[in-house]
Amino acid sequence: MSNQRREKGSSIVRVLEIIETIAQSEQPLSSADLAYQLDIPRATAHRLVQTLESEGFIQTNMRGNLIPADRFHKVALGVLYTGRYKAQRRAILENLAQQTGETCGISIPDGTEMIYYDRVTCNWPIQIHLPVGTRSPAWCTASGKLYLSTLSKAKVEKLLQLLPLEQKARNTLITPDALMDNLVTIYEAELGTDNEEFIDGMVACAVPIRNDRGQLIASLFCHAPVIRKSLDDLMAYAPVMRKAADELSQIFSSSNKNRLDQ
């Protein structure tokens, strides 16, 4: 019985280590990669990976490597959303929404999409409703284009050849060259923009939320209907958005040691 308990405990730890390794890896891994990195038998790694895949926590991409799946993302978002810093995060968003007078929120990259992770709406009777959990294309949204602009040129060029650059709205950029030029501008300004490219009648801008290594981990966005604000109007709020993004970065950063519980 004691040997069974030890084996069960060991398997649980290994599963958690596999999830942690996949989550932290910058490149998709194979079962063999996991076995090597975690110093476990290949057969064991393969068996545990199969279990995680069948349960919907991870999936195999077109190259046969492992990437997070829907249940993995739901757990990660749930931990973030209900974490002990929720009150601080919401206070920052509420303050920013009050300063801009428009809906502000946070979106997180997931492959070629962005997930709306949190948001605070404005009090205007006319607003664009994009609830938490909504997935939007990375290539035609302010947050998504900001994320794409941080990737290597080679990776972006390859993505642009694979993405379905369809006409989502009146100003959607549907050619790789036009989108690449726009991404260069966004990279230089560190300010994502959406000039009625995702939804007709909506403009948006976004600034990066970074981890302690300076990498973009999320985007802080603000969007508004064009009958109330132009894209230039929203971009004028970039300084206060950057200040809020810095505050959010401190909350998200693993290097921040002096944090208070809610």
Side-chain angles (χ1 to χ4, degrees):
M1 179 67 70
S2 61
N3 288 338
Q4 288 180 343
R5 282 198 297 267
R6 282 198 297 271
E7 175 60 29
K8 183 177 180 181
S10 177
S11 295
I12 290 173
V13 171
R14 284 173 174 170
V15 166
L16 292 174
E17 288 176 341
I18 286 173
I19 290 174
E20 180 183 41
T21 303
I22 291 174
Q24 294 181 346
S25 177
E26 294 185 0
Q27 301 292 334
L29 303 172
S30 65
S31 293
D33 294 328
L34 289 170
Y36 176 77
Q37 290 192 27
L38 299 175
D39 192 24
I40 58 178
R42 285 196 177 194
T44 300
H46 183 68
R47 173 173 56 82
L48 295 177
V49 162
Q50 281 188 317
T51 300
L52 286 169
E53 193 166 9
S54 66
E55 294 296 328
F57 286 99
I58 60 176
Q59 60 187 3
T60 303
N61 66 12
M62 291 185 294
R63 294 188 175 185
N65 292 324
L66 304 168
I67 57 175
D70 284 345
R71 289 187 72 183
F72 190 115
H73 289 302
K74 288 178 181 177
V75 170
L77 288 173
V79 170
L80 283 172
Y81 191 77
T82 60
R84 56 178 177 167
Y85 308 116
K86 180 179 179 179
Q88 293 168 271
R89 186 184 70 241
R90 294 290 293 182
I92 293 169
L93 288 178
E94 287 168 4
N95 183 55
L96 182 61
Q98 186 175 22
Q99 291 182 76
T100 62
E102 299 297 342
T103 297
C104 298
I106 300 169
S107 60
I108 296 175
D110 178 25
T112 60
E113 295 180 314
M114 301 296 290
I115 302 175
Y116 282 69
Y117 159 63
D118 202 357
R119 68 173 193 145
V120 171
T121 59
C122 61
N123 293 321
W124 295 100
I126 299 176
Q127 56 181 295
I128 296 162
H129 184 62
L130 294 170
V132 170
T134 296
R135 289 175 173 268
S136 60
W139 47 271
C140 61
T141 56
S143 296
K145 290 193 294 177
L146 179 64
Y147 163 65
L148 291 178
S149 76
T150 66
L151 303 179
S152 69
K153 183 179 179 181
K155 182 174 287 188
V156 172
E157 287 177 341
K158 186 171 184 179
L159 276 174
L160 296 188
Q161 296 300 324
L162 297 173
L163 289 173
L165 303 182
E166 58 191 39
Q167 195 82 39
K168 293 285 186 180
R170 68 188 67 178
N171 295 329
T172 308
L173 302 175
I174 58 173
T175 66
D177 288 344
L179 186 51
M180 180 62 82
D181 288 344
N182 188 224
L183 293 180
V184 171
T185 300
I186 288 172
Y187 174 79
E188 292 173 348
E190 295 187 314
L191 182 67
T193 56
D194 169 5
N195 186 24
E196 296 188 76
E197 297 165 50
F198 178 41
I199 297 173
D200 283 329
M202 184 186 85
V203 291
C205 62
V207 296
I209 300 172
R210 304 183 188 278
N211 61 16
D212 54 330
R213 292 173 290 178
Q215 299 169 319
L216 183 148
I217 54 172
S219 296
L220 173 62
F221 66 82
C222 179
H223 63 64
V226 294
I227 61 171
R228 194 160 58 238
K229 282 188 174 71
S230 68
L231 180 58
D232 286 340
D233 290 334
L234 284 189
M235 292 172 67
Y237 292 113
V240 294
M241 292 182 66
R242 294 189 197 282
K243 182 177 182 295
D246 288 342
E247 294 171 350
L248 289 166
S249 293
Q250 291 177 22
I251 292 175
F252 283 112
S253 175
S254 60
S255 68
N256 187 353
K257 305 299 183 182
N258 301 313
R259 298 174 176 172
L260 297 176
D261 291 334
Q262 287 188 41

